[in-house]
Amino acid sequence: MNILLIGSGGREHALAWKIKQSSHCDTLYCAPGNAGIGRIATNTDLDTSDHDAVIKFCGDNQIGFVVVGPEVPLVEGLVDALDKVEILAFGPTAAAAQLEGSKGFTKDLCEEYDIPTADYMRFNNAPKAKAYVRQQGAPIVIKADGLAAGKGVVVAMELDEALDAIDACFEGDFGEAGAEVVVEAFLVGEEASLFAVCDGTTAMLMGTAQDHKRVGEGDTGPNTGGMGAYSPAPILTQELIDEVMTDIIVPTMAGMHQKGMPFKGVLYAGLIFTEDGPQLIEYNVRFGDPECQVLMPRLKSDIVEILMASATGNLLETEAEWSDEVALTVVMASKGYPGAYEKNTVIEGTDRAEAAGGLVFHAGTAIRDDKLVATGGRVLNVTGFGKSVTEAQKNAYSAVKQIDWENGFTRSDIGWRAVERESE
Ligand code: AMP
Ligand code: GLY
């Protein structure tokens, strides 16, 4: 079967790497892909917002299965368009993708189905939102309702910051995404993510991970797409996993089914572990990036069988087998990220990093004049393995050291929370 993968990040390189190992995969195409994906798949310059063009590509290339990596095409309804012409695709419909596309939608669902999450209010104008925030006081959390590429959340420690964030949303800083605002109570606790593959009625655990969203060591500085991750997340004990599945994932699936928008695809629960137990911070409707770069290498089962079972409603008969090893990935980013950065700087030594036992997943890379160059903010993900987070961290950073890239930087402490715990 020929497979088309949509996306161009480290997540998609990890998916491509795993899909290529499947006995079900003949030719793998990726739209648009990156330099790393280009080594194992055929990259194509498709405009994935143009659904007719995607459908035509599928026909021309005998595509039997489409795997959608990022959220934007899902929210735009790519899976709905493919469903209509009976092309099998992995991912939720646009209606079900509202779990990521509208924070207000998700909060209402949580309220209706008694899913633990922070108290909240939804607003469509600044004066009412500000009056509520003044009444509640800081710290408080202000969120643009729609997709804002991870930038639409302000955790305001001071009242002024919260009021400014409300103005920024309604003045159009996030375009349409900020036309509505969710104001949320501030929760305190450690964060981790749980992934569940779903087929509309059944949810199957697809691993746990902890991301590092801030750019600086010790989780300081501005938010990024994610500077590194490891899996499994030891904070999610089996008991807590069971609690999250029962109290959060299962009622979400049931609620979505009842509303006539059954959820298929991967449900990524961003969780915070408070004194009152696990609470849902947000849902994403896709694999995490960089979390996918630590999940795929730990998965022993055939990924295509799992993704197809999700798309066809056959998860009940499917199992996922995992390696006991810990995987830890370090993101190498262009200096300046998440702000402005130089492009087309040359990278060398990715082969040496792999020879040293790392797995290198590309994000913003391209080949120019036969050289590997950085074209994005997050550029490479170097994954290492070990029996503990401490060992996986050591191995990942040894591989990182093999890479020569003057304009690149990493955080030096990915995994620090777990490493600290392991040394206790
Ligand atoms: P989100 O985009 O919803 O994941 O939010 C980004 C980050 O903001 C999360 O990873 C948390 O660190 C933080 N955050 C979001 N909501 C809350 C909340 N209610 N209380 C405390 N921190 C939050
Ligand atoms: N790593 C955060 C995300 O994928 O949204």
Side-chain angles (χ1 to χ4, degrees):
M1 179 175 60
N2 295 342
I3 298 176
L4 171 64
L5 173 65
I6 309 284
S8 64
R11 168 183 47 214
E12 286 74 26
H13 190 183
L15 283 169
W17 172 83
K18 191 67 188 159
I19 290 171
K20 276 298 278 188
Q21 294 168 34
S22 167
S23 57
H24 301 283
C25 181
D26 293 324
T27 304
L28 176 63
Y29 294 91
C30 189
N34 59 39
I37 297 172
R39 288 192 187 149
I40 54 172
T42 306
N43 287 341
T44 166
D45 239 352
L46 255 183
D47 173 4
T48 52
S49 296
D50 183 345
H51 296 169
D52 289 339
V54 177
I55 290 167
K56 181 169 184 311
F57 181 90
C58 289
D60 291 349
N61 296 281
Q62 289 95 46
I63 301 293
F65 191 39
V66 179
V67 177
V68 185
E71 63 277 17
V72 170
L74 295 168
V75 170
E76 285 176 353
L78 178 57
V79 170
D80 308 59
L82 293 168
D83 274 353
K84 254 192 215 147
V85 293
E86 293 180 9
I87 297 171
L88 194 64
F90 173 77
T93 59
Q98 286 182 90
L99 283 175
E100 177 163 359
S102 166
K103 294 189 188 289
F105 173 87
T106 299
K107 298 298 283 189
D108 286 352
L109 185 93
C110 288
E111 186 166 78
E112 198 176 337
Y113 293 91
D114 211 15
I115 295 164
T117 189
D119 289 340
Y120 74 106
M121 289 284 279
R122 298 175 73 166
F123 296 97
N124 59 15
N125 67 76
K128 282 204 174 135
K130 286 184 175 176
Y132 176 74
V133 162
R134 282 200 183 90
Q135 182 205 329
Q136 295 292 310
I140 196 154
V141 183
I142 312 298
K143 299 185 173 183
D145 180 71
L147 291 185
K151 298 187 183 89
V153 175
V154 172
V155 178
M157 299 315 286
E158 307 292 338
L159 188 62
D160 280 349
E161 218 183 324
L163 299 174
D164 289 349
I166 291 169
D167 279 334
C169 277
F170 289 113
E171 281 163 12
D173 276 24
F174 306 111
E176 268 300 298
E180 191 181 318
V181 165
V182 174
V183 179
E184 235 180 68
F186 172 72
L187 298 177
V188 180
E190 191 172 333
E191 290 176 52
S193 310
L194 179 144
F195 299 84
V197 176
C198 308
D199 69 358
T201 47
T202 302
M204 177 174 85
L205 180 68
M206 199 61 189
T208 63
Q210 200 166 34
D211 187 13
H212 298 64
K213 287 199 171 140
R214 303 296 188 107
V215 76
E217 273 76 16
D219 296 332
T220 54
N223 259 328
T224 68
M227 293 300 294
Y230 59 94
S231 172
I235 186 176
L236 268 154
T237 57
Q238 188 58 50
E239 198 185 342
L240 278 173
I241 289 175
D242 293 345
E243 191 177 331
V244 171
M245 290 301 284
T246 308
D247 295 348
I248 298 182
I249 304 292
V250 169
T252 300
M253 291 288 293
M256 293 299 281
H257 196 270
Q258 221 170 56
K259 287 182 181 301
M261 36 183 110
F263 186 87
K264 289 184 177 188
V266 61
L267 196 53
Y268 160 166
L271 304 164
I272 187 161
F273 298 89
T274 70
E275 282 182 346
D276 301 329
Q279 311 252 342
L280 181 73
I281 291 252
E282 63 161 356
Y283 272 134
N284 295 311
V285 297
R286 47 164 177 89
F287 282 107
D289 187 343
E291 292 93 324
C292 198
Q293 292 86 302
V294 287
L295 290 181
M296 288 308 117
R298 291 190 51 245
L299 179 65
K300 288 188 183 166
S301 313
D302 185 322
I303 186 72
V304 174
E305 285 178 9
I306 294 173
L307 303 183
M308 285 190 71
S310 155
T312 55
N314 288 309
L315 267 183
L316 214 49
E317 295 98 61
T318 308
E319 274 178 32
E321 213 192 315
W322 298 91
S323 143
D324 289 333
E325 273 199 320
V326 174
L328 183 144
T329 196
V330 176
V331 170
M332 300 185 80
S334 295
K335 281 180 188 162
Y337 174 77
Y341 50 81
E342 201 182 326
K343 284 194 179 176
N344 297 317
T345 55
V346 175
I347 304 167
E348 281 171 352
T350 55
D351 295 347
R352 286 196 302 271
E354 297 217 308
L359 269 177
V360 180
F361 295 119
H362 292 220
T365 64
I367 303 287
R368 303 255 149 83
D369 302 328
D370 285 335
K371 290 202 171 95
L372 181 67
V373 297
T375 55
R378 292 191 296 169
V379 174
L380 296 173
N381 307 258
V382 183
T383 304
F385 304 91
K387 288 191 186 64
S388 60
V389 181
T390 310
E391 199 179 297
Q393 184 194 56
K394 189 171 141 265
N395 291 335
Y397 280 107
S398 304
V400 164
K401 272 209 199 98
Q402 300 298 321
I403 295 176
D404 285 329
W405 176 29
E406 227 171 89
N407 199 49
F409 78 97
T410 68
R411 262 180 71 163
S412 63
D413 65 344
I414 299 304
W416 68 274
R417 279 199 174 83
V419 169
E420 248 176 43
R421 264 189 216 124
E422 284 175 356
S423 73
E424 274 169 8

